[in-house]
Amino acid sequence: DQKAIRVSVHSLPTAEDILGILQYEEAPLEIWLRFAVEYYRQNRYDIFEEILKSGCSPDAEEHFAHDTKGRLKMLNALAAYKISLEKGSGKGSAGNHLAEAVELISRADKIDEHEGLTWVNKGVLSLVRGEDENALQNFDSALQSDPRNLLAKLGKGTILFKRREFATARDQFKRTIREHPGCSASVRVNLGLCYYELGNESRAVECFERALQLDATDVSAHVALAVIELGRAQEHDFDLKLSQRAMQRLRRAYELQPTNAMVLNHMANHFFFRKGEEERDYSRIESLARKAYKSTHLDPIKAESAYILGRNFHETKDHASALQFYERALEHWSGFTLAQYGRAQMLLAKSDIPERDRKIKSKNDEARKQALGVLDRILREPAHKNDRDTSLFAAWLHIRMNHRAQAMTLLKQVTQDDPNDTEAWLEQAHVMQKEANLNKKQKRETLRAYTKAAAGLRPVPPFIYTNVGELKFSLGDVRGA
């Protein structure tokens, strides 16, 4: 008669006991892996890792030499875990998880170089290293081995989304769901994010809601819906019902994952924008953002947390701390435009020290040059080329530094893009009128700029009438003056 040993998942034994059972009973590697996964589900990661390490040891390799599939699964499971540890350890980690993962993947390759799981791990490894092209090639290799490989399909979709190829990523996730209808709720979230980026908000909402039907604990779906509802609330002058519903979703997400940095950042943003300056709880916003910053290893999310802290200090007039956190945000994400803009503002504030001597003037000039450098970088980015606010800010700085030609170039571009921009016309008029010995053509151009500016002002400020009068008089138009 065959006898069986039953182990309850509700009272799993110690590492020593479970390894003793598996080894004594000569259980197949498939059973080893099942037990390891159950320990992982119960957050007993140390025993999960110990089972995998034992199953990948030289002794196990020799004993299970005939079970190539089992050995491949064990090696790839442990490699995937090591990669996840590296992702969670952040920069400067003393661990050597990636090196261990590479060694495990190499061992798996020696067993079968065409194994799909190994190609997927190679792809994820490349993603962690920031080698997106290599990752895509690895996922494609996995799909050549098995066209239905779920993990490879998800990895490929992730890279396409990261490349901002949203339509192609959307199609990839749609095919994945059709082929694997029982896949996790997160795939619907990914599909929803593609629709959102493509401007189809209603389909995005459908995807996020479907994800929550499949898994009511999916934090990303709660956050995505909260963001959409907050956006709708802002469009309707912070509609109370929409705001409350969004906050209920964020609170639910917070209950599910109190250390989720994305949730914490969104809550901090909500509390910043929800109330007027006098009512803001700056300490609460700071606490949420600091907690978010410490809770993630992902640079873009860290950058947002640092930016929120910088903005918080900016509002409370602590310019030194604001500059520090804007710069920290840029360390994590050099192309973060909002942080660049904030840094430029703080450098300008730094340059407003009364210039009692040459040394202070030199420091002020250097701070203004740095601020201009930041603004120039923003304007060189395709997404912000000729941005109106940045151009006006840069023009104003050039005026402060007596760079009138550069200021006029920027201001003329603004009025070329929008002929009704009152502020830009007024600044042009001021810059031109400061020139010494204006000729008649320059005076007429200045007069035109004042006229354009006055057309958009009600009431027209008295100084404009005065300046226009002076210009007309100098041109011989006494009656007009």
Side-chain angles (χ1 to χ4, degrees):
D1 292 339
Q2 289 186 342
K3 292 183 179 180
I5 295 177
R6 295 184 181 276
V7 180
S8 171
V9 295
H10 302 295
S11 56
L12 290 170
T14 63
E16 184 179 353
D17 287 345
I18 191 61
L19 284 171
I21 292 169
L22 292 170
Q23 290 164 354
Y24 183 77
E25 296 296 327
E26 296 187 356
L29 287 175
E30 180 67 32
I31 301 299
W32 288 58
L33 190 56
R34 285 187 191 177
F35 271 107
V37 169
E38 190 54 48
Y39 279 100
Y40 185 89
R41 284 177 180 157
Q42 297 186 22
N43 300 327
R44 298 171 72 175
Y45 304 122
D46 52 339
I47 301 180
F48 161 80
E49 186 176 359
E50 201 166 335
I51 293 172
L52 291 181
K53 280 185 173 179
S54 183
C56 294
S57 66
D59 288 343
E61 200 166 73
E62 182 180 343
H63 184 77
F64 293 104
H66 62 286
D67 186 6
T68 56
K69 282 292 182 187
R71 286 159 56 207
L72 282 168
K73 286 181 179 179
M74 293 292 281
L75 288 165
N76 275 299
L78 186 54
Y81 181 62
K82 290 296 180 181
I83 294 169
S84 73
L85 289 178
E86 181 69 21
K87 286 168 64 181
S89 62
K91 293 180 180 178
S93 170
N96 197 25
H97 306 304
L98 286 191
E100 292 179 66
V102 169
E103 192 266 334
L104 290 161
I105 289 170
S106 176
R107 286 170 60 188
D109 261 342
K110 289 176 182 176
I111 297 171
D112 181 0
E113 63 181 11
H114 302 295
E115 170 60 36
L117 277 175
T118 311
W119 283 115
V120 168
N121 267 333
K122 289 178 182 177
V124 177
L125 185 64
S126 295
L127 268 179
V128 172
R129 289 171 165 170
E131 302 165 354
D132 290 0
E133 192 58 41
N134 284 342
L136 188 59
Q137 289 174 7
N138 287 319
F139 291 135
D140 280 336
S141 296
L143 290 169
Q144 286 174 9
S145 172
D146 175 11
R148 290 175 54 83
N149 188 309
L150 174 61
L151 296 176
K153 284 179 176 291
L154 296 179
K156 186 171 181 176
T158 299
I159 292 174
L160 291 168
F161 185 90
K162 192 176 177 185
R163 287 180 169 182
R164 304 187 67 79
E165 296 177 27
F166 300 123
T168 313
R170 175 201 60 196
D171 295 342
Q172 176 74 14
F173 289 127
K174 284 172 72 175
R175 283 194 299 271
T176 302
I177 292 170
R178 278 197 298 268
E179 293 176 11
H180 301 273
C183 60
S184 69
S186 63
V187 186
R188 268 82 177 180
V189 174
N190 291 342
L191 179 58
L193 291 172
C194 292
Y195 277 120
Y196 182 80
E197 291 292 348
L198 290 166
N200 194 338
E201 191 176 283
S202 60
R203 289 301 302 273
V205 169
E206 288 175 9
C207 291
F208 300 142
E209 289 177 343
R210 176 60 179 149
L212 289 176
Q213 288 173 3
L214 295 171
D215 180 5
T217 65
D218 192 295
V219 170
S220 296
H222 280 293
V223 172
L225 285 169
V227 169
I228 288 173
E229 286 164 358
L230 283 173
R232 289 174 177 175
Q234 289 178 11
E235 289 172 6
H236 294 85
D237 196 24
F238 285 93
D239 179 82
L240 184 59
K241 286 185 179 179
L242 286 170
S243 295
Q244 287 176 339
R245 191 162 65 192
M247 277 310 295
Q248 285 172 358
R249 293 192 188 280
L250 285 178
R251 287 194 188 97
R252 178 59 180 145
Y254 181 75
E255 289 168 5
L256 292 166
Q257 288 186 15
T259 59
N260 185 297
M262 186 168 58
V263 175
L264 294 166
N265 279 341
H266 280 301
M267 290 182 73
N269 275 326
H270 172 74
F271 289 123
F272 183 87
F273 289 112
R274 186 185 65 172
K275 296 182 177 180
E277 189 175 336
E278 294 179 359
E279 298 179 88
R280 284 190 193 127
D281 186 347
Y282 290 105
S283 61
R284 186 180 191 182
I285 296 166
E286 181 183 346
S287 175
L288 288 165
R290 285 188 183 277
K291 188 175 180 182
Y293 186 84
K294 292 177 182 177
S295 299
T296 183
H297 63 278
L298 296 173
D299 279 330
I301 300 179
K302 271 189 173 294
E304 186 179 359
S305 304
Y307 169 74
I308 292 169
L309 286 164
R311 183 183 62 196
N312 214 44
F313 286 120
H314 190 157
E315 286 291 314
T316 55
K317 309 294 190 247
D318 183 351
H319 292 166
S321 296
L323 179 60
Q324 175 191 341
F325 280 100
Y326 286 142
E327 289 181 340
R328 189 177 298 181
L330 292 169
E331 287 173 12
H332 294 290
W333 179 12
S334 61
F336 191 1
T337 303
L338 289 174
Q340 290 176 334
Y341 204 84
R343 179 171 179 253
Q345 289 175 306
M346 291 304 94
L347 288 167
L348 181 60
K350 193 177 177 182
S351 74
D352 275 345
I353 302 169
E355 297 177 353
R356 293 185 296 270
D357 55 46
R358 286 184 180 179
K359 190 174 181 181
I360 294 176
K361 185 180 185 306
S362 176
K363 282 186 177 180
N364 286 351
D365 286 344
E366 182 57 34
R368 288 168 190 153
K369 284 178 186 176
Q370 287 181 322
L372 270 175
V374 173
L375 297 173
D376 285 343
R377 280 195 294 276
I378 295 174
L379 290 170
R380 283 197 298 270
E381 294 172 9
H384 302 287
K385 186 179 180 182
N386 299 334
D387 176 73
R388 186 255 185 196
D389 290 335
T390 309
S391 295
L392 286 178
F393 190 0
W396 187 79
L397 265 175
H398 279 301
I399 293 167
R400 289 282 298 271
M401 300 178 74
N402 291 318
H403 302 161
R404 292 179 184 173
Q406 294 94 320
M408 284 299 293
T409 299
L410 289 163
L411 292 169
K412 284 180 177 179
Q413 183 63 56
V414 173
T415 52
Q416 181 180 319
D417 293 339
D418 180 7
N420 297 316
D421 195 308
T422 300
E423 188 178 355
W425 281 118
L426 197 55
E427 287 298 329
Q428 279 190 53
H430 284 156
V431 172
M432 288 188 286
Q433 198 167 16
K434 285 179 181 176
E435 291 287 345
N437 301 316
L438 289 175
N439 59 38
K440 284 188 176 182
K441 183 182 176 183
Q442 290 171 323
K443 287 177 182 178
R444 288 193 186 96
E445 287 178 353
T446 307
L447 190 59
R448 177 174 176 267
Y450 273 126
T451 303
K452 290 280 190 180
L457 293 171
R458 291 294 180 273
V460 177
F463 75 86
I464 291 183
Y465 287 122
T466 303
N467 292 350
V468 168
E470 288 179 4
L471 286 165
K472 283 181 178 288
F473 185 81
S474 68
L475 287 166
D477 183 0
V478 177
R479 183 180 292 275

